[in-house]
Amino acid sequence: IVMAVKTKVPANEEVEALQQPRQDLEEGEEQSIAELLASEAKYRAIAENIDLAMTLIGTDHRILWVNSLVAKWFDKDAEEFVGKHCYQEFEQRDKVCDYCPAIKAIATGQPNEAETQGRKPDGTTFTVRDRVYPILRDGKVVAFNEIVEDITESKRQEEELSFYRDRLETLVEDRTSELTKVNEQLHK
């Protein structure tokens, strides 16, 4: 038995109507890609021009990305950090740092920070405020952003101010003591 099947060839209007959703989808994809690229360009402009060291690090402490300030501090290309452990690259250590704010941030899913001494490859140290912001996916920490600020100068100024404050207090105490003695002698 041979069966014949008749198929209706769609008219041009029907073909165009079927193709329109596909064209809309393709235009939407192009727009989404353009928006994504624009968003990435804005993020990069901020991250690369801010006076803060920024890193993206996995929960295994392997570096995923660093901004240009990190590369400048350590005199390396940013790409050289990728895939390496943060504690080895930034602290020349063999294990995670004892003070590491990421440990608590990973455990709690909450931001954390520490103030510590950073060490550059040439051995010079500098004081930093190290802030860590966990990145969550489905409630689980999958990575963290680390924002490091060099606070060496502000700490130096703080110490200098403290020195002068203490010195001024000593001078006031000495002068008060002298005036008290003179006052006592006058009243004798």
Side-chain angles (χ1 to χ4, degrees), residues 2-183:
V2 176
M3 294 181 62
V5 177
K6 283 188 171 184
T7 59
K8 181 181 172 188
V9 176
N12 282 342
E13 294 115 16
E14 291 174 326
V15 170
E16 287 175 14
L18 291 171
Q19 289 178 341
Q20 188 59 44
R22 180 178 164 200
Q23 288 172 346
D24 292 345
L25 182 60
E26 288 172 355
E27 288 171 6
E29 285 176 357
E30 287 175 15
Q31 183 177 355
S32 294
I33 290 169
E35 289 170 358
L36 182 61
L37 290 173
S39 174
E40 181 182 357
K42 287 178 188 175
Y43 173 78
R44 282 202 183 277
I46 293 167
E48 294 300 335
N49 292 294
I50 197 166
D51 194 26
L52 297 168
M54 299 175 69
T55 61
L56 177 61
I57 301 174
T59 55
D60 61 356
H61 297 271
R62 288 193 184 274
I63 300 166
L64 304 171
W65 173 86
V66 302
N67 73 348
S68 58
L69 184 57
V70 174
K72 180 180 172 186
W73 279 359
F74 292 91
D75 196 28
K76 289 183 173 184
D77 289 332
E79 296 79 31
E80 290 182 56
F81 292 94
V82 176
K84 297 178 181 170
H85 287 106
C86 56
Y87 51 86
Q88 289 173 329
E89 291 299 302
F90 304 142
E91 297 289 333
Q92 294 81 48
R93 295 176 184 247
D94 294 329
K95 62 180 183 156
V96 175
C97 306
D98 297 332
Y99 70 85
C100 181
I103 294 171
K104 186 174 181 183
I106 292 168
T108 65
Q110 297 296 312
N112 194 21
E113 70 177 66
E115 191 173 294
T116 188
Q117 293 293 310
R119 188 174 337 153
K120 294 183 181 178
D122 66 3
T124 59
T125 59
F126 57 111
T127 306
V128 297
R129 180 173 295 117
D130 187 356
R131 294 182 178 130
V132 173
Y133 301 91
I135 298 172
L136 302 162
R137 185 173 295 134
D138 299 324
K140 183 180 178 208
V141 177
V142 295
F144 56 91
N145 281 315
E146 182 178 41
I147 311 294
V148 180
E149 179 182 11
D150 182 347
I151 59 172
T152 305
E153 184 59 25
S154 63
K155 290 302 267 185
R156 187 197 62 75
Q157 290 172 351
E158 222 175 80
E159 289 170 7
E160 186 176 348
L161 183 60
S162 179
F163 169 79
Y164 286 116
R165 186 181 311 116
D166 292 347
R167 178 73 179 126
L168 182 58
E169 286 177 13
T170 300
L171 289 172
V172 168
E173 287 172 7
D174 291 349
R175 186 67 178 146
T176 302
S177 177
E178 290 171 10
L179 290 172
T180 301
K181 288 176 184 174
V182 168
N183 193 25

